[in-house]
Amino acid sequence: MKRPALFRPRNAVLTVLGLVLIAGTTTVVAQTAPLPAVQWDNRRLEQLDRNVRRLERAVTQRNAAGQPVLVEPDPEVIALQGQVGIMDRRLRDLEATVQRVNGDLERLSFQLDESQRDNAAIGTRLRDAETRLRTMETAAQAAAAQREAEAEQAAASPTGDAASDLAAARTLVTVNRQGGLEALERVITNWPNTPESREAEWRIGDAVRAAGDQGAAVSAYARALRGWPTDAWAGEVTLKLARGLAATQRPAEACAALGEFTRRYNARASADLRSVAARVRSDADCA
């Protein structure tokens, strides 16, 4: 059974509409599907070059026909270019800031080096000053101790003077042997390492030799001659030492003492002392 002629065009329109919808759906699906990566080989590059040349010819022809081609930039591209410009300015600002910071760091590093050198120099000066202060303190303490010792000596001294104490002891020993010996001992104790204490030593030697104690006299003479002094009495006391050594049966030491007399004091000795030296040399059988 055939349909009426009125329905035939309608069916054709429906058929075409369905095909269009199917094609449109296919196109949308094709547009939304991810495109495969383009493989840029020589053939594709040549095709791209030909297309570009066609476009150039088309643009040239339209321009020659009075129909110029207007290329309108994409707003998104313009916005992107603006953002890129802003970022570029910020980048330049950042580079300038970094350069300033680097310059500041270099100046700070230089200043730090100078500060370290200054600190090292100041530390050296401080250590030198501390060393000098300690030296001065030590010297001051030694001077104070010496002053205290001298004050104690002066307080213990009968007259407060070494020469006066020695003179008083010499006078006393002639009238009071024991008291004079004690006074001479006080001179040695109160005024050590002085010419007066050396003289007090050998005067004690004379006193104990006169009492018959040759051994004690030899010890006293030896203490007076420590370092071989150059006082006027040194030559005579050396001969007294040699004579005491010979008397105590120590001829070798006596000859040694006579040798020191010859080397140190013979040139300034009197004729009497030289004759005494000859006698002692003979008694001790010195070569």
Side-chain angles (χ1 to χ4, degrees):
M1 183 176 182
K2 295 182 180 179
R3 294 181 180 179
L6 179 63
F7 294 101
R8 290 177 184 174
R10 184 178 180 183
N11 292 336
V13 171
L14 292 175
T15 302
V16 172
L17 182 60
L19 292 174
V20 170
L21 290 175
I22 294 171
T25 304
T26 304
T27 304
V28 172
V29 172
Q31 289 178 352
T32 58
L35 295 175
V38 178
Q39 301 295 328
W40 293 102
D41 52 9
N42 292 332
R43 184 180 63 80
R44 288 182 178 273
L45 290 174
E46 292 175 356
Q47 183 179 0
L48 178 61
D49 183 64
R50 287 194 299 270
N51 293 334
V52 170
R53 291 180 185 276
R54 291 194 190 97
L55 288 174
E56 289 178 350
R57 286 194 298 270
V59 171
T60 302
Q61 291 173 0
R62 289 179 65 88
N63 288 334
Q67 298 177 357
V69 177
L70 299 178
V71 180
E72 295 182 358
D74 191 348
E76 295 182 358
V77 174
I78 295 175
L80 181 59
Q81 289 177 347
Q83 293 177 359
V84 170
I86 294 172
M87 292 177 65
D88 185 62
R89 287 193 299 272
R90 290 182 178 177
L91 181 60
R92 288 196 296 270
D93 294 341
L94 182 60
E95 289 177 351
T97 303
V98 170
Q99 291 177 356
R100 288 195 299 271
V101 170
N102 288 336
D104 294 339
L105 289 176
E106 290 179 358
R107 286 191 295 273
L108 289 175
S109 178
F110 180 75
Q111 293 175 359
L112 179 61
D113 293 339
E114 287 186 341
S115 299
Q116 290 176 348
R117 287 192 295 269
D118 293 341
N119 289 337
I122 292 172
T124 302
R125 291 181 179 178
L126 286 176
R127 287 191 293 272
D128 293 342
E130 289 177 355
T131 301
R132 289 196 295 270
L133 285 175
R134 286 195 294 268
T135 302
M136 293 173 62
E137 289 176 356
T138 303
Q141 291 174 358
Q146 183 177 1
R147 287 194 297 271
E148 290 178 0
E150 291 175 353
E152 292 177 358
Q153 291 173 359
S157 170
T159 64
D161 179 71
S164 299
D165 285 357
L166 179 61
R170 287 201 307 265
T171 302
L172 182 61
V173 79
T174 58
V175 296
N176 183 354
R177 177 178 173 275
Q178 186 61 36
L181 289 175
E182 293 176 357
L184 291 171
E185 290 288 350
R186 284 195 296 272
V187 171
I188 297 169
T189 301
N190 294 331
W191 310 101
N193 300 320
T194 60
E196 289 78 10
S197 67
R198 290 178 179 273
E199 183 174 345
E201 291 280 10
W202 70 260
R203 288 190 179 276
I204 290 175
D206 284 352
V208 295
R209 187 190 64 180
D213 192 348
Q214 287 284 1
V218 167
S219 298
Y221 293 145
R223 289 193 298 270
L225 291 170
R226 283 192 302 267
W228 300 107
T230 58
D231 299 86
W233 48 262
E236 181 180 0
V237 174
T238 302
L239 292 179
K240 290 179 181 181
L241 173 63
R243 189 162 49 191
L245 290 170
T248 54
Q249 306 302 318
R250 289 182 281 181
E253 296 180 23
C255 293
L258 289 171
E260 294 294 338
F261 172 82
T262 301
R263 284 191 296 274
R264 299 177 185 275
Y265 309 115
N266 186 66
R268 294 176 295 172
S270 64
D272 293 339
L273 288 180
R274 291 176 184 173
S275 70
V276 171
R279 287 196 304 270
V280 176
R281 188 174 289 106
S282 176
D283 293 341
D285 294 329
C286 297

